[in-house]
Amino acid sequence: MVRYYLAIDIGASSGRHILAHLEDGRMVLEEVHRFPNGMADQDGEKVWDVDELFAQIKAGMKKCGELGKIPVSVGIDTWGVDFVLLDREGRRLGNAVAYRDSRTKGMDQEVNRLISGEELYERTGIQKQPYNTIYQLMALKKKNPSLLEQAKKLLMMPDYFHWRLCGRAAAEYTEATTGQLVSPETKDWDYELIDRLGYPREIFQRIVPPGTVLGGLLPEIQKEVGYDCQVAVPASHDTGSAVIAVPGEGENVLYISSGTWSLMGTELLKADCSEESRRRNLTNEGGYDYRFRYLKNIMGLWMIQSVKKEIGEELSFGRICEMAAGCGIKSIVDCNDDRFLAPDNMTGEVQSACRESGQQVPEGIAEVACVIYNSLAKCYAGTVEEISGITGQSYDRIHIVGGGSNAEYLNRLTARETKLPVYAGPAEATAIGNLAAQMIAMGDIPNLKEARACVRRSFEIKIFRD
């Protein structure tokens, strides 16, 4: 009898339900549902419509039943740092505010009054980003303290959806670490830090590792979708799942999880919380099996996605990539500049950055995209040098996984700039890693090593060389 698994992978711009089963040692995927996502302006904030997202979660699950392919388990992954607050009765408090909202402006200074940046990194190993959960909570404490006073549960985004499916609240480890409030030593909330910051410690749920089975669906959910299955928590941070699906062999693997963000790094067995690591703004996010995703956040294809909406709506991403490849413009911008985090107009921001630095100003979708791709490749090359220098390791290839692995022009540029071969694929790495964690949890794959071997057998990997 075929055993199906369901990964629900929700990104900043879309979500999808991917069913999978094993066939002759290979993972076979089937997309059964896809839906849009995005931030909306509400009450002066940029927010996620979590009720609509949950409705889509259930709609896709129902389709599995209609297909007669009832999953053994289901697991959800999303982006990091964002959360939902619940009151004593389980009612949502306030909006599900998105990380690109401006409420965290200046909150790093408020946190620094209570703990220095150096000590904070030493305690958590997480890079400073203005949108981290630690700063979002400080924004609530300073601007809307009544919400924190009423709150009884804080649930990170995927934890919230798992709770709505099965009624059991838990904080999945890889997702929790993104917020800058977890100790890499204890693998638990840093309650001393939480107390120093004045956040109510009782709102933080018990941390569980990926692969934890929370239990079956609530009766009302069973009725809606037409069946029962287990809620098996994957690495619920999307990059945590994507890294599971990196098809490299051995311990010294360099990867880029390429999508809205480009997350470039390697795996460590022990977090590097050194001062040099902090100065280079590298992060130690939790990974599967309590490994650490030692990486740098790079702005990524968010810039291309934004430009497409503004001046290339009718074009596919593949076509934009082809058009960029035909350009000769050499201008470069700093992809990690905060000006590109949530500009009113990304095209104009890229043009302004080039103008201010005395470079050729790109005109039209092809040139603007070319500047972005060139800039990303340069940033990747610099990050390779940083990671190699700190870890003392040399790397003989880069694995690019996620949707960005389909960007052939960017892959060629990356190979050229880094002087390393690029192994591109699989594109659905996040869903694949999500599914692999579930299959390990339910006994169909023995461990992480075998899961990665299964990925190598199952999906095409393209190689790009300088």
Side-chain angles (χ1 to χ4, degrees), residues 50-88:
V50 290
D51 289 331
E52 173 59 20
L53 288 175
F54 191 63
Q56 293 292 344
I57 287 170
K58 292 185 292 184
M61 291 177 68
K62 186 176 180 180
K63 284 185 180 179
C64 297
E66 293 169 349
L67 290 169
K69 298 178 178 180
I70 296 173
V72 174
S73 65
V74 59
I76 301 168
D77 65 77
T78 77
W79 59 96
V81 308
D82 289 345
F83 58 88
V84 171
L85 294 177
L86 303 176
D87 68 10
R88 191 182 305 276

Side-chain angles (χ1 to χ4, degrees), residues 225-254:
V225 303
Y227 57 85
D228 190 17
C229 69
Q230 296 297 304
V231 176
V233 176
S236 64
H237 184 232
D238 49 13
T239 311
S241 274
V243 171
I244 292 174
V246 171
E249 299 181 72
E251 295 297 325
N252 296 326
V253 173
L254 199 62

